[in-house]
Amino acid sequence: MPRHFSPSRHDGRRIGLLILSFVVALVVAGTWWVVSTTSPDAAGDAVVGTAGQSPASTSTDLTATAAATTAPTQAPASLVPSAIPTNPATGRVDTLEGLIPDYVLPPIVDGLAPVLTKVPTEQKVVFLTIDDGAVQRDSDLALLEQSGIKASLFLAHKYIADQPAFYLKYTAAGHLIENHTMTHNLGFIQLSYEEQKAEICSMADFAEQQYGRRPVFFRPPGGPYTQATRQAVAACGLKAIVDWEAKANAGGMDYQVGAGLRPGEIVLMHFRPEFPQDLAAFLKAQEAAGLKVVLLEDYLATA
């Protein structure tokens, strides 16, 4: 073979170096491709391709999901248990919550029941009373429960005779039934003593039969009373006549004395179509005066 065609040792080295350089180049290119396809931007694209949404929307959805998971679900107001502890003596919720009243209800003297239009106290308490029972809605009870307050219900047989069991829902929730006569006669004080006594005693008997507790307080229809009324109340086994000097009415508050609620105020409301507005007006006035709503029977220890 001619000499100039025979491969030399240097030529073999050059060929080996070229092959090595080509291999290194392939490795570098492959490394670059792997790194570029696993970068944060590429990962984001992968989320879009596999999950159908961007990382930002995923974060937002997770935040919303977490909030929905950790946020408490609000139960219907009528099903929310009262946070007020139970009084073992009465078996009802204790609206006093440790408060020691500074007033004692006067006893019956000479056969006449005492009369209250306001509890004479400087303690920061107020008492809600609701009359008649003509409008019967679960939503009204739910509003009371949502507000966390208990009331004394002065019911008249005339309004509840067809469905007396409805107010078992109220007694089960810790409200108490009191006496507002049988017929709700607005001319009540024109009746004879015996007629007044029949109205009061019959309603007391009816309430005791229906609700398992005999009323202790009486409210005359419209509010007026006479000595005969006081005598009839005592004769029927009740402890006092309860009137008022403030009332929630037509979505506002009416005051016989002053321009706002005072400590010891007994507030009148009614079961009427405007109950939600009246209750809202009462709660606004109660909050403005800084008063605690206490059950009248608890404060006066009449059970």
Side-chain angles (χ1 to χ4, degrees):
M1 179 180 292
R3 180 176 179 84
H4 63 276
F5 282 117
S6 64
S8 68
R9 185 178 300 175
H10 293 293
D11 291 339
R13 288 179 179 177
R14 282 196 293 271
I15 293 171
L17 288 173
L18 287 172
I19 294 172
L20 179 62
S21 299
F22 181 74
V23 171
V24 170
L26 287 176
V27 171
V28 171
T31 302
W32 173 85
W33 182 86
V34 170
V35 171
S36 65
T37 56
T38 57
S39 66
D41 290 340
D45 292 339
V47 171
V48 172
T50 59
Q53 56 188 13
S54 69
S57 65
T58 301
S59 174
T60 302
D61 290 346
L62 289 175
T63 302
T65 301
T69 302
T70 57
T73 301
Q74 185 175 4
S78 60
L79 300 180
V80 176
S82 174
I84 305 175
T86 300
N87 184 333
T90 64
R92 296 183 285 98
V93 294
D94 182 7
T95 61
L96 294 179
E97 296 184 287
L99 175 68
I100 300 176
D102 62 358
Y103 176 77
V104 177
L105 181 68
I108 293 173
V109 177
D110 296 331
L112 300 176
V115 179
L116 285 177
T117 57
K118 176 182 177 295
V119 175
T121 180
E122 291 303 316
Q123 291 182 324
K124 304 286 280 184
V125 295
V126 63
F127 310 99
L128 180 62
T129 64
I130 311 175
D131 279 15
D132 296 350
V135 175
Q136 301 172 6
R137 299 180 301 203
D138 288 332
S139 58
D140 293 340
L141 174 58
L143 287 174
L144 289 170
E145 291 299 285
Q146 185 176 7
S147 303
I149 60 178
K150 308 301 176 186
S152 305
L153 314 183
F154 287 83
L155 303 182
H157 181 272
K158 170 183 178 179
Y159 299 115
I160 68 172
D162 292 341
Q163 200 175 2
F166 175 82
Y167 284 99
L168 287 171
K169 302 174 186 179
Y170 280 82
T171 59
H175 307 270
L176 294 181
I177 307 298
E178 300 297 354
N179 192 325
H180 200 35
T181 73
M182 291 290 288
T183 64
H184 200 267
N185 185 343
L186 292 177
F188 185 76
I189 59 173
Q190 307 301 324
L191 301 178
S192 68
Y193 165 75
E194 290 298 335
E195 289 171 326
Q196 291 190 33
K197 181 181 174 183
E199 285 265 355
I200 298 168
C201 288
S202 295
M203 184 58 198
D205 293 341
F206 177 80
E208 184 175 17
Q209 178 185 18
Q210 293 293 326
Y211 308 114
R213 170 186 171 274
R214 191 171 184 82
V216 296
F217 295 138
F218 173 72
R219 173 166 288 158
Y225 59 90
T226 63
Q227 292 293 89
T229 309
R230 295 178 62 190
Q231 185 180 358
V233 168
C236 292
L238 280 65
K239 297 183 178 181
I241 292 174
V242 175
D243 270 345
W244 69 91
E245 291 180 351
K247 66 178 177 179
N249 184 56
M253 292 296 297
D254 297 333
Y255 303 102
Q256 295 179 22
V257 179
L261 289 178
R262 302 165 295 160
E265 200 88 74
I266 297 171
V267 178
L268 168 66
M269 269 183 57
H270 291 85
F271 286 109
R272 292 174 174 168
E274 60 268 27
F275 183 98
Q277 293 76 24
D278 290 351
L279 182 60
F282 165 70
L283 292 174
K284 181 178 179 181
Q286 170 246 331
E287 182 179 358
L291 303 177
K292 174 180 174 57
V293 182
V294 175
L295 198 60
L296 186 62
E297 293 83 351
D298 284 349
Y299 197 83
L300 298 178
T302 56

